[in-house]
Amino acid sequence: MRKRVMRLACVLALFFALLCGVIFLPTDDRRQAAGPLKSELQVGVVLYTGDDAFLNEMMAAVRKEIDDLNTGDWDITLVERNAGNSQSEENEIVSDMINEGCDILLVNLVDRNAPARVIETARENNVPIVFFNRELVRNDMGLWNRLYYVGGNAAESGELQGELAAALCESNPGVDRNKDGKIQYAVLQGEPNHQDAIIRTDMAVSTMADRGIVLDKLSYRIANWSRSQAKTQTLQLISAYGSSVELILANNDEMALGAIDAYRQMNYTETDMPKIFGIDGTSVGLSAVADGSLDGTVYNDKEAQGKALVNIAITVARGGDLSAMHLTNGKYYYADYYAVTAENVSDYLKQ
Ligand code: GAL
Ligand code: CA
């Protein structure tokens, strides 16, 4: 009995000692003991599809930014959805995310020409939106003053691809396999109406022409950013033109890789294959540049875009000042692109 009382007394004494320790701690230490006060934020993000290689890599960059902030004084929850390529589905998702309490939305439109419903819902609920990667027209951006955009500078990506292809034609006369003084070329294009598809094609071709390369257009084919669609399109190209294709400009790496898949399936050797260029610098794209199967790509800076998305989101949510970000017209962030060849690919593979 006595032992029991002693034991209880000891436990109580220990408990009071601990309690006093906490109560008499200086305020700062006490806060530390309870964990620092964090700014809570719920960010909703919706992608046009779950199947886009580049965007999936960009989302990894966004998550990393948020994880870094959460080790500091933020407590950000990221709610992720994809619209399965349907704008009406995306409209619903936007309403749902707002009802679930998201403070700010990052929206990758399915149809960049149809943002009206999304903007209306956001405005009614006063939830700001940072659109990204699929750029809406200026008029629509003007519909509300809490809309922002993050993307790449499409013209620059096309120009750099054109520079890479022109440099190869200049340094390697063997690219003109039939020696007719012209480069027989084909383009694999992304979705029709996508700013990156239209502008990249135009800029790549005009940059080559400006550098004095005489081009002979064989075929432009739409493959919607997709490796498998590009493979199908390239198999058709091969059956129509055989080995007379000397250059393929693809609007992204996935389609460039699809073209390589097609040539491999048809047992083309290195010497009979056209030169092939992509854009994005996805991990598979960069590996293909490193092993020589892809002649070059243009790095679509997913880290810079991920950082810009998260920075705009937290600044806007806090009602802070965006001026340090030097946004174009106060609302557009355009990341630079970088040319990647076998010589500098190791710098990008490290990222
Ligand atoms: C482009 C990118 C493509 C695809 C597309 C989706 O910027 O190069 O690979 O991700 O965006 O909108
Ligand atoms: Ca030729």
Side-chain angles (χ1 to χ4, degrees):
M1 175 67 177
R2 208 180 193 179
K3 257 193 195 160
R4 280 244 304 271
V5 172
M6 286 288 284
R7 220 184 293 147
L8 193 66
C10 280
V11 170
L12 281 175
L14 200 67
F15 176 73
F16 279 114
L18 280 173
L19 198 65
C20 290
V22 172
I23 289 171
F24 294 116
L25 268 178
T27 339
D28 279 356
D29 293 354
R30 204 172 333 143
R31 189 176 307 140
Q32 210 70 59
L37 287 174
K38 294 204 173 213
S39 305
E40 284 182 19
L41 191 69
Q42 188 160 321
V43 180
V45 55
V46 52
L47 296 181
Y48 81 102
T49 171
D51 298 331
D52 186 287
F54 168 71
L55 284 170
N56 287 337
E57 292 191 5
M58 188 163 137
M59 280 312 301
V62 169
R63 279 182 224 116
K64 188 180 169 299
E65 282 301 318
I66 289 180
D67 288 348
D68 287 352
L69 288 171
N70 284 349
T71 61
D73 56 354
W74 282 95
D75 177 9
I76 302 173
T77 311
L78 190 67
V79 180
E80 296 183 50
R81 304 274 162 80
N82 84 72
N85 239 322
S86 150
Q87 187 57 55
S88 58
E89 171 76 18
E90 189 164 61
N91 298 344
E92 293 297 319
I93 292 173
V94 162
S95 301
D96 291 349
M97 289 197 302
I98 291 175
N99 291 335
E100 287 159 21
C102 285
D103 304 293
I104 186 154
L105 301 182
L106 312 178
V107 177
N108 179 227
L109 286 167
V110 176
D111 180 350
R112 70 187 192 97
N113 293 308
R117 275 287 309 283
V118 167
I119 294 173
E120 204 177 280
T121 314
R123 189 168 54 176
E124 277 165 8
N125 294 279
N126 198 23
V127 173
I129 298 188
V130 192
F131 290 101
F132 64 102
N133 170 266
R134 300 161 78 86
E135 186 171 350
L136 49 174
V137 297
R138 303 264 151 154
N139 259 354
D140 287 333
M141 276 293 276
L143 288 175
W144 189 32
N145 62 3
R146 304 195 80 194
L147 305 177
Y148 301 88
Y149 179 77
V150 168
N153 178 348
E156 189 182 29
S157 58
E159 196 178 326
L160 289 172
Q161 188 185 54
E163 297 281 353
L164 284 176
L168 185 65
C169 294
E170 286 160 3
S171 67
N172 180 352
V175 177
D176 177 15
R177 258 186 277 107
N178 67 352
K179 311 227 167 305
D180 66 349
K182 300 178 196 159
I183 301 297
Q184 277 69 36
Y185 80 105
V187 177
L188 291 170
Q189 297 194 280
E191 292 158 281
N193 295 323
H194 191 301
Q195 81 283 345
D196 288 341
I198 304 160
I199 300 174
R200 283 174 184 170
T201 302
D202 287 354
M203 287 305 290
V205 170
S206 64
T207 301
M208 290 189 77
D210 290 350
R211 277 185 57 159
I213 310 287
V214 184
L215 288 167
D216 181 10
K217 170 176 166 178
L218 296 182
S219 183
Y220 281 17
R221 288 163 178 268
I222 291 170
N224 297 311
W225 312 118
S226 143
R227 183 169 181 160
S228 60
Q229 288 185 42
K231 180 182 174 189
T232 308
Q233 292 295 336
T234 307
L235 288 171
Q236 289 172 18
L237 197 69
I238 296 171
S239 73
Y241 299 101
S243 55
S244 58
V245 188
E246 296 171 338
L247 170 69
I248 293 184
L249 300 171
N251 285 166
N252 76 344
D253 285 356
E254 282 295 287
M255 296 189 292
L257 292 160
I260 296 170
D261 294 341
Y263 282 100
R264 289 205 172 134
Q265 180 170 311
M266 300 307 285
N267 294 318
Y268 271 62
T269 61
E270 189 80 4
T271 41
D272 294 329
M273 268 176 70
K275 299 297 172 194
I276 302 176
F277 291 89
I279 291 177
D280 274 345
T282 54
S283 54
V284 266
L286 293 174
S287 307
V289 174
D291 72 24
S293 48
L294 186 58
D295 294 283
T297 187
V298 179
Y299 196 72
N300 193 351
D301 197 339
K302 54 184 186 292
E303 287 77 17
Q305 291 171 72
K307 207 182 193 74
L309 273 176
V310 174
N311 275 342
I312 295 176
I314 61 174
T315 311
V316 167
R318 258 187 180 168
D321 178 12
L322 284 168
S323 59
M325 289 190 71
H326 305 295
L327 302 179
T328 307
N329 295 334
K331 41 181 138 177
Y332 291 89
Y333 174 89
Y334 292 110
D336 282 329
Y337 282 89
Y338 305 94
V340 183
T341 60
E343 276 89 71
N344 67 347
V345 67
S346 57
D347 299 343
Y348 292 88
L349 277 165
K350 270 184 251 145
Q351 291 213 8

